[in-house]
Amino acid sequence: MTFTPELERDLRPLSESEAEVYIASTCFKTGPPGPVGLEIERIVHDATDSSRAVPVAEVRAAAAPAGEVLPHGAAITFEPGGQLEVSSACRPDLPSLIEAMRADVKTIDEHFYAAGLTFGPLALDGFRPPVRTLYESRYAAMEQHFDRSGPSGRTMMCSTASLQVCLDAGFTGAGPQSAVQRWARLHHLAPVLTAMFANSPFRQGAPSGWRSARQGVWLGTDPSRTAPVPVTEDPPAAWARYAMDALVLCIPSSDGSWSAPNGLTMRGWLRGEGPRPATMQDVEYHLTTLFPFIRPRGFLELRVIDTQAGGDWETAAAVTAALVEDEKAADLAAAACAPVTALPRPMATA
């Protein structure tokens, strides 16, 4: 192997302060608002037997004729329980995103229909038990980690589907359409958007008591990585603290065993508490295992909306974008939602 300066940077032991600065400086890439992206997760069923679990291999085979990238730029990936995810290319505005995504979703629908498969209309598979059929080391370690605190983790991995709206972080500073404003705005909207588009009322074949049982499952899964990031006047620093204090989900290893010690945080690992020194590569991987309400990835990824039946994703995407991009709409929504967003978050029982 030929070592480059970049590779040496990725593999050398990293200090706690270096990691914190890196996380804060790279996850918020400020710029003019406008670009938008979308990720649609969908739960797959056999068209003739909705009770049959459809393994990832069968889902992958149904999607194969479409290629890895769809005609209008969307990418296809697969979740541990056989869910399909269609992730758009970044588009300059909402109308062009919807037009492109509508065409790519239609392509996928046609291939799955031809394979005898269909997509469930709800965001939580409330009738089939969670079964992991993606056998990668990452997912085995995830399953082991989540099992320590109850069954919600397996359900989250294998039986849930969300609609993720991705928006530009915004301008520098603290004024209109700044990253500070948009970060706060999205967090205040999150519970309202969850309620507006709740689409998962069932759990284990019966009404769950939640309009979004999917969100209930997520709230019951390792809060160090699924709870909302605190809203402060310094979002990059708040995110860096959150990421550093989150539990380590897995430690990539060449021997195939990716299990992380119970209770190990990224901060603890960087302080020497892990099985080996942590590197930049480890920090970057750790960031992909964090799933808060809004996740900064250079852009802001809103993760609280249930997947929608049919083409209803278009409405959810349009409402979300409008309530962040349009100043007047955002201010009116913030004022209307203040009594709700100020309430304490309920404890999860799912």
Side-chain angles (χ1 to χ4, degrees):
M1 178 183 293
T2 301
F3 278 81
T4 64
E6 292 78 15
L7 189 57
E8 289 175 346
R9 180 212 66 157
D10 287 348
L11 297 180
R12 69 172 176 80
L14 198 66
S15 72
E16 180 181 349
S17 59
E18 284 177 313
E20 202 148 11
V21 168
Y22 172 80
I23 294 167
S25 63
T26 60
C27 292
F28 282 84
K29 297 186 184 299
T30 55
V36 59
L38 200 63
E39 300 172 28
I40 303 175
E41 295 175 346
R42 309 170 94 183
I43 294 172
V44 180
H45 291 271
D46 184 316
T48 60
D49 181 6
S50 61
S51 65
R52 181 177 76 87
V54 181
V56 172
E58 191 173 338
V59 177
R60 199 187 300 273
E68 293 184 0
V69 178
L70 295 168
H72 290 78
I76 300 170
T77 53
F78 308 92
E79 297 298 320
Q83 310 97 306
L84 178 80
E85 181 173 330
V86 182
S87 302
S88 77
C90 180
R91 294 286 170 172
D93 52 50
L94 184 68
S96 62
L97 171 74
I98 288 180
E99 181 181 0
M101 200 62 160
R102 186 184 291 159
D104 280 346
V105 167
K106 182 174 183 292
T107 297
I108 280 293
D109 287 347
E110 291 170 350
H111 286 298
F112 274 67
Y113 178 79
L117 300 177
T118 187
F119 299 109
L122 303 179
L124 173 66
D125 190 337
F127 300 91
R128 297 179 300 186
V131 178
R132 180 170 64 89
T133 60
L134 196 54
Y135 301 110
E136 297 176 9
S137 298
R138 167 188 171 108
Y139 297 115
M142 286 178 69
E143 189 174 79
Q144 182 182 37
H145 173 87
F146 292 134
D147 282 352
R148 292 168 180 157
S149 55
S152 289
R154 287 194 183 211
T155 302
M156 176 274 286
M157 290 172 63
C158 301
S159 302
T160 65
S162 67
L163 175 70
Q164 297 163 28
V165 182
C166 304
L167 301 169
D168 191 271
F171 294 112
T172 57
Q177 292 298 338
S178 66
V180 171
Q181 184 201 62
R182 289 162 73 85
W183 177 251
R185 187 170 279 170
L186 275 170
H187 277 87
H188 292 151
L189 284 170
V192 179
L193 292 170
T194 302
M196 285 177 66
F197 299 108
N199 185 35
S200 49
F202 302 107
R203 187 87 189 269
Q204 298 177 348
S208 66
W210 293 69
R211 292 292 299 278
S212 175
R214 182 198 66 85
Q215 189 62 46
V217 166
W218 277 86
L219 289 172
T221 304
D222 185 2
S224 81
R225 64 182 5 87
T226 60
V229 181
V231 177
T232 71
E233 293 300 313
D234 190 350
W239 170 241
R241 287 192 296 271
Y242 181 100
M244 295 283 284
D245 293 332
L247 294 171
V248 175
L249 190 67
C250 53
I251 298 179
S253 170
S254 59
D255 66 6
S257 175
W258 284 31
S259 298
N262 190 14
L264 179 68
T265 66
M266 177 50 70
R267 192 180 301 280
W269 189 4
L270 289 159
R271 290 177 176 177
E273 297 171 11
R276 59 169 174 78
T279 68
M280 180 70 77
Q281 203 170 66
D282 294 319
V283 170
E284 290 174 342
Y285 193 86
H286 175 67
L287 295 175
T288 71
T289 71
L290 305 180
F291 314 110
F293 286 21
I294 292 92
R295 180 167 66 171
R297 298 175 56 194
F299 51 88
L300 303 180
E301 178 187 76
L302 179 74
R303 303 180 54 85
V304 299
I305 301 176
D306 281 358
T307 200
Q308 302 294 292
D312 289 350
W313 60 266
E314 297 184 21
T315 301
V319 169
T320 302
L323 293 181
V324 177
E325 304 287 359
D326 185 285
E327 285 293 316
K328 185 175 182 180
D331 289 343
L332 289 170
C337 297
V340 176
T341 56
L343 294 175
R345 185 163 61 91
M347 293 297 291
T349 57

PDB file of all heavy atoms in Angstrom, residues 300-320:
ATOM      1  N   LEU A 300     -28.141  20.167   6.198  1.00  0.00           N
ATOM      2  CA  LEU A 300     -28.948  19.768   7.351  1.00  0.00           C
ATOM      3  C   LEU A 300     -29.962  18.718   6.911  1.00  0.00           C
ATOM      4  O   LEU A 300     -30.782  18.958   6.032  1.00  0.00           O
ATOM      5  CB  LEU A 300     -29.664  20.987   7.950  1.00  0.00           C
ATOM      6  CG  LEU A 300     -28.762  22.138   8.383  1.00  0.00           C
ATOM      7  CD1 LEU A 300     -29.593  23.278   8.966  1.00  0.00           C
ATOM      8  CD2 LEU A 300     -27.709  21.677   9.390  1.00  0.00           C
ATOM      9  N   GLU A 301     -29.905  17.555   7.530  1.00  0.00           N
ATOM     10  CA  GLU A 301     -30.756  16.416   7.176  1.00  0.00           C
ATOM     11  C   GLU A 301     -31.825  16.255   8.253  1.00  0.00           C
ATOM     12  O   GLU A 301     -31.533  15.873   9.382  1.00  0.00           O
ATOM     13  CB  GLU A 301     -29.888  15.162   7.082  1.00  0.00           C
ATOM     14  CG  GLU A 301     -30.629  13.885   6.780  1.00  0.00           C
ATOM     15  CD  GLU A 301     -29.705  12.681   6.871  1.00  0.00           C
ATOM     16  OE1 GLU A 301     -29.385  12.255   7.998  1.00  0.00           O
ATOM     17  OE2 GLU A 301     -29.286  12.199   5.798  1.00  0.00           O
ATOM     18  N   LEU A 302     -33.077  16.544   7.898  1.00  0.00           N
ATOM     19  CA  LEU A 302     -34.206  16.387   8.821  1.00  0.00           C
ATOM     20  C   LEU A 302     -34.686  14.945   8.775  1.00  0.00           C
ATOM     21  O   LEU A 302     -35.064  14.446   7.711  1.00  0.00           O
ATOM     22  CB  LEU A 302     -35.334  17.334   8.425  1.00  0.00           C
ATOM     23  CG  LEU A 302     -36.595  17.266   9.284  1.00  0.00           C
ATOM     24  CD1 LEU A 302     -36.351  17.917  10.636  1.00  0.00           C
ATOM     25  CD2 LEU A 302     -37.768  17.937   8.583  1.00  0.00           C
ATOM     26  N   ARG A 303     -34.716  14.266   9.955  1.00  0.00           N
ATOM     27  CA  ARG A 303     -34.919  12.827   9.984  1.00  0.00           C
ATOM     28  C   ARG A 303     -36.195  12.397  10.709  1.00  0.00           C
ATOM     29  O   ARG A 303     -36.342  11.229  11.028  1.00  0.00           O
ATOM     30  CB  ARG A 303     -33.717  12.162  10.675  1.00  0.00           C
ATOM     31  CG  ARG A 303     -32.375  12.465  10.036  1.00  0.00           C
ATOM     32  CD  ARG A 303     -31.242  11.770  10.785  1.00  0.00           C
ATOM     33  NE  ARG A 303     -31.482  10.350  10.913  1.00  0.00           N
ATOM     34  CZ  ARG A 303     -31.165   9.436   9.987  1.00  0.00           C
ATOM     35  NH1 ARG A 303     -30.580   9.811   8.864  1.00  0.00           N
ATOM     36  NH2 ARG A 303     -31.441   8.162  10.181  1.00  0.00           N
ATOM     37  N   VAL A 304     -37.111  13.305  11.008  1.00  0.00           N
ATOM     38  CA  VAL A 304     -38.228  12.967  11.889  1.00  0.00           C
ATOM     39  C   VAL A 304     -39.538  12.636  11.168  1.00  0.00           C
ATOM     40  O   VAL A 304     -40.521  12.284  11.815  1.00  0.00           O
ATOM     41  CB  VAL A 304     -38.505  14.114  12.888  1.00  0.00           C
ATOM     42  CG1 VAL A 304     -37.289  14.361  13.768  1.00  0.00           C
ATOM     43  CG2 VAL A 304     -38.921  15.394  12.169  1.00  0.00           C
ATOM     44  N   ILE A 305     -39.581  12.741   9.856  1.00  0.00           N
ATOM     45  CA  ILE A 305     -40.843  12.561   9.133  1.00  0.00           C
ATOM     46  C   ILE A 305     -41.020  11.095   8.734  1.00  0.00           C
ATOM     47  O   ILE A 305     -40.108  10.473   8.187  1.00  0.00           O
ATOM     48  CB  ILE A 305     -40.894  13.460   7.888  1.00  0.00           C
ATOM     49  CG1 ILE A 305     -40.762  14.928   8.296  1.00  0.00           C
ATOM     50  CG2 ILE A 305     -42.191  13.248   7.109  1.00  0.00           C
ATOM     51  CD1 ILE A 305     -40.706  15.889   7.114  1.00  0.00           C
ATOM     52  N   ASP A 306     -42.194  10.547   9.002  1.00  0.00           N
ATOM     53  CA  ASP A 306     -42.529   9.199   8.540  1.00  0.00           C
ATOM     54  C   ASP A 306     -42.528   9.151   7.014  1.00  0.00           C
ATOM     55  O   ASP A 306     -42.929  10.119   6.351  1.00  0.00           O
ATOM     56  CB  ASP A 306     -43.928   8.804   9.021  1.00  0.00           C
ATOM     57  CG  ASP A 306     -43.959   8.348  10.475  1.00  0.00           C
ATOM     58  OD1 ASP A 306     -42.892   8.301  11.116  1.00  0.00           O
ATOM     59  OD2 ASP A 306     -45.066   8.045  10.962  1.00  0.00           O
ATOM     60  N   THR A 307     -42.130   8.000   6.464  1.00  0.00           N
ATOM     61  CA  THR A 307     -42.313   7.821   5.031  1.00  0.00           C
ATOM     62  C   THR A 307     -43.797   7.917   4.704  1.00  0.00           C
ATOM     63  O   THR A 307     -44.659   7.602   5.538  1.00  0.00           O
ATOM     64  CB  THR A 307     -41.728   6.477   4.559  1.00  0.00           C
ATOM     65  OG1 THR A 307     -41.489   6.526   3.156  1.00  0.00           O
ATOM     66  CG2 THR A 307     -42.643   5.306   4.877  1.00  0.00           C
ATOM     67  N   GLN A 308     -44.106   8.354   3.499  1.00  0.00           N
ATOM     68  CA  GLN A 308     -45.487   8.619   3.111  1.00  0.00           C
ATOM     69  C   GLN A 308     -45.981   7.625   2.068  1.00  0.00           C
ATOM     70  O   GLN A 308     -45.199   7.085   1.287  1.00  0.00           O
ATOM     71  CB  GLN A 308     -45.605  10.048   2.564  1.00  0.00           C
ATOM     72  CG  GLN A 308     -45.154  11.127   3.550  1.00  0.00           C
ATOM     73  CD  GLN A 308     -46.049  11.221   4.761  1.00  0.00           C
ATOM     74  OE1 GLN A 308     -47.198  11.627   4.670  1.00  0.00           O
ATOM     75  NE2 GLN A 308     -45.516  10.836   5.921  1.00  0.00           N
ATOM     76  N   ALA A 309     -47.268   7.399   2.059  1.00  0.00           N
ATOM     77  CA  ALA A 309     -47.869   6.480   1.085  1.00  0.00           C
ATOM     78  C   ALA A 309     -47.877   7.129  -0.300  1.00  0.00           C
ATOM     79  O   ALA A 309     -48.112   8.331  -0.442  1.00  0.00           O
ATOM     80  CB  ALA A 309     -49.290   6.129   1.497  1.00  0.00           C
ATOM     81  N   GLY A 310     -47.599   6.313  -1.316  1.00  0.00           N
ATOM     82  CA  GLY A 310     -47.689   6.781  -2.691  1.00  0.00           C
ATOM     83  C   GLY A 310     -46.861   8.022  -2.944  1.00  0.00           C
ATOM     84  O   GLY A 310     -45.686   8.106  -2.599  1.00  0.00           O
ATOM     85  N   GLY A 311     -47.509   9.036  -3.542  1.00  0.00           N
ATOM     86  CA  GLY A 311     -46.820  10.274  -3.873  1.00  0.00           C
ATOM     87  C   GLY A 311     -46.935  11.346  -2.817  1.00  0.00           C
ATOM     88  O   GLY A 311     -46.584  12.511  -3.071  1.00  0.00           O
ATOM     89  N   ASP A 312     -47.395  11.002  -1.610  1.00  0.00           N
ATOM     90  CA  ASP A 312     -47.567  12.015  -0.572  1.00  0.00           C
ATOM     91  C   ASP A 312     -46.239  12.589  -0.082  1.00  0.00           C
ATOM     92  O   ASP A 312     -46.223  13.606   0.616  1.00  0.00           O
ATOM     93  CB  ASP A 312     -48.334  11.424   0.617  1.00  0.00           C
ATOM     94  CG  ASP A 312     -49.803  11.167   0.292  1.00  0.00           C
ATOM     95  OD1 ASP A 312     -50.258  11.617  -0.778  1.00  0.00           O
ATOM     96  OD2 ASP A 312     -50.479  10.514   1.100  1.00  0.00           O
ATOM     97  N   TRP A 313     -45.126  11.967  -0.446  1.00  0.00           N
ATOM     98  CA  TRP A 313     -43.817  12.520  -0.092  1.00  0.00           C
ATOM     99  C   TRP A 313     -43.640  13.917  -0.689  1.00  0.00           C
ATOM    100  O   TRP A 313     -42.908  14.748  -0.116  1.00  0.00           O
ATOM    101  CB  TRP A 313     -42.688  11.593  -0.560  1.00  0.00           C
ATOM    102  CG  TRP A 313     -42.652  11.349  -2.043  1.00  0.00           C
ATOM    103  CD1 TRP A 313     -43.227  10.315  -2.715  1.00  0.00           C
ATOM    104  CD2 TRP A 313     -42.014  12.164  -3.037  1.00  0.00           C
ATOM    105  NE1 TRP A 313     -42.989  10.419  -4.069  1.00  0.00           N
ATOM    106  CE2 TRP A 313     -42.245  11.548  -4.295  1.00  0.00           C
ATOM    107  CE3 TRP A 313     -41.268  13.334  -3.002  1.00  0.00           C
ATOM    108  CZ2 TRP A 313     -41.749  12.064  -5.492  1.00  0.00           C
ATOM    109  CZ3 TRP A 313     -40.784  13.863  -4.196  1.00  0.00           C
ATOM    110  CH2 TRP A 313     -41.021  13.233  -5.416  1.00  0.00           C
ATOM    111  N   GLU A 314     -44.289  14.194  -1.806  1.00  0.00           N
ATOM    112  CA  GLU A 314     -44.149  15.501  -2.438  1.00  0.00           C
ATOM    113  C   GLU A 314     -44.682  16.609  -1.524  1.00  0.00           C
ATOM    114  O   GLU A 314     -44.060  17.665  -1.376  1.00  0.00           O
ATOM    115  CB  GLU A 314     -44.880  15.523  -3.781  1.00  0.00           C
ATOM    116  CG  GLU A 314     -44.312  14.549  -4.798  1.00  0.00           C
ATOM    117  CD  GLU A 314     -44.997  14.662  -6.161  1.00  0.00           C
ATOM    118  OE1 GLU A 314     -45.602  15.721  -6.438  1.00  0.00           O
ATOM    119  OE2 GLU A 314     -44.926  13.688  -6.939  1.00  0.00           O
ATOM    120  N   THR A 315     -45.827  16.369  -0.903  1.00  0.00           N
ATOM    121  CA  THR A 315     -46.408  17.364   0.006  1.00  0.00           C
ATOM    122  C   THR A 315     -45.515  17.578   1.216  1.00  0.00           C
ATOM    123  O   THR A 315     -45.249  18.718   1.620  1.00  0.00           O
ATOM    124  CB  THR A 315     -47.805  16.909   0.456  1.00  0.00           C
ATOM    125  OG1 THR A 315     -48.637  16.733  -0.690  1.00  0.00           O
ATOM    126  CG2 THR A 315     -48.429  17.936   1.387  1.00  0.00           C
ATOM    127  N   ALA A 316     -45.044  16.487   1.798  1.00  0.00           N
ATOM    128  CA  ALA A 316     -44.193  16.600   2.985  1.00  0.00           C
ATOM    129  C   ALA A 316     -42.912  17.370   2.669  1.00  0.00           C
ATOM    130  O   ALA A 316     -42.470  18.224   3.452  1.00  0.00           O
ATOM    131  CB  ALA A 316     -43.865  15.214   3.529  1.00  0.00           C
ATOM    132  N   ALA A 317     -42.307  17.087   1.529  1.00  0.00           N
ATOM    133  CA  ALA A 317     -41.078  17.783   1.145  1.00  0.00           C
ATOM    134  C   ALA A 317     -41.346  19.265   0.899  1.00  0.00           C
ATOM    135  O   ALA A 317     -40.565  20.133   1.318  1.00  0.00           O
ATOM    136  CB  ALA A 317     -40.485  17.139  -0.105  1.00  0.00           C
ATOM    137  N   ALA A 318     -42.455  19.574   0.223  1.00  0.00           N
ATOM    138  CA  ALA A 318     -42.773  20.966  -0.101  1.00  0.00           C
ATOM    139  C   ALA A 318     -43.061  21.781   1.157  1.00  0.00           C
ATOM    140  O   ALA A 318     -42.591  22.916   1.303  1.00  0.00           O
ATOM    141  CB  ALA A 318     -43.961  21.017  -1.059  1.00  0.00           C
ATOM    142  N   VAL A 319     -43.835  21.202   2.082  1.00  0.00           N
ATOM    143  CA  VAL A 319     -44.168  21.921   3.317  1.00  0.00           C
ATOM    144  C   VAL A 319     -42.904  22.169   4.141  1.00  0.00           C
ATOM    145  O   VAL A 319     -42.678  23.279   4.651  1.00  0.00           O
ATOM    146  CB  VAL A 319     -45.206  21.132   4.132  1.00  0.00           C
ATOM    147  CG1 VAL A 319     -45.353  21.715   5.540  1.00  0.00           C
ATOM    148  CG2 VAL A 319     -46.553  21.141   3.421  1.00  0.00           C
ATOM    149  N   THR A 320     -42.068  21.164   4.260  1.00  0.00           N
ATOM    150  CA  THR A 320     -40.844  21.313   5.046  1.00  0.00           C
ATOM    151  C   THR A 320     -39.947  22.396   4.465  1.00  0.00           C
ATOM    152  O   THR A 320     -39.456  23.278   5.184  1.00  0.00           O
ATOM    153  CB  THR A 320     -40.079  19.980   5.100  1.00  0.00           C
ATOM    154  OG1 THR A 320     -40.919  18.977   5.671  1.00  0.00           O
ATOM    155  CG2 THR A 320     -38.807  20.104   5.918  1.00  0.00           C
TER     156      THR A 320
END
